[in-house]
Amino acid sequence: MVEVGGLMKYPHSLLSEAFDLKMRMTAYWNVVLKRLIDSMALHLQLSVSNLVDKDMEMEIVSELMGPNNGVGIERMMEEPPSIAVKRNKLIKSIKKLKESKEVVCKIMDGIVTFAN
């Protein structure tokens, strides 16, 4: 509830201008808030990027190419056991589907030949 009794002493044109100003300020404030949120996100992204590029770059390179003759890179390229199991299951499924396709084709050929 908004009490408007006190507004009756002001001219209609002034009230209209005040309402218009209030609506414009509300819309502008929403834009300002969105810009602040966007700039904070961009600032965080830039900070993380600078951290990785400048501060952690040498650590990452030394870890990957360290004294163990590049064992870090080989370790990154290894396939996890869970992925290997899934890959083997998929290969078996593909093989089974191909065999099933051949059996269905033979059955369909038999039906067509019998029908003629």
Side-chain angles (χ1 to χ4, degrees):
M1 285 247 166
V2 177
E3 293 186 27
V4 292
L7 298 176
M8 294 301 206
K9 60 184 176 183
Y10 298 104
H12 187 309
S13 62
L14 184 63
L15 292 175
S16 178
E17 287 180 25
F19 179 76
D20 185 51
L21 180 63
K22 172 68 176 170
M23 291 299 108
R24 288 175 188 248
M25 289 296 292
T26 301
Y28 179 74
W29 186 246
N30 288 336
V31 170
V32 168
L33 288 178
K34 288 179 183 177
R35 287 284 296 166
L36 283 172
I37 291 169
D38 290 344
S39 65
M40 285 300 296
L42 289 171
H43 178 71
L44 287 172
Q45 186 177 12
L46 177 67
S47 297
V48 170
S49 177
N50 286 339
L51 174 69
V52 171
D53 286 345
K54 294 177 183 173
D55 299 337
M56 295 181 67
E57 180 179 15
M58 291 307 295
E59 290 182 37
I60 292 170
V61 169
S62 65
E63 179 69 29
L64 292 176
M65 302 300 289
N68 299 334
N69 296 327
V71 174
I73 293 176
E74 290 177 14
R75 195 173 59 223
M76 282 177 44
M77 300 300 285
E78 288 178 359
E79 183 179 52
S82 61
I83 300 297
V85 169
K86 289 178 183 178
R87 184 175 38 79
N88 288 333
K89 284 182 180 180
L90 286 172
I91 289 171
K92 288 178 183 177
S93 294
I94 290 171
K95 184 179 177 185
K96 185 78 72 178
L97 285 170
K98 285 180 180 178
E99 291 172 359
S100 299
K101 178 185 169 188
E102 291 174 7
V103 169
V104 168
C105 284
K106 287 180 183 178
I107 292 173
M108 293 303 290
D109 286 344
I111 292 173
V112 170
T113 304
F114 182 72
N116 290 333

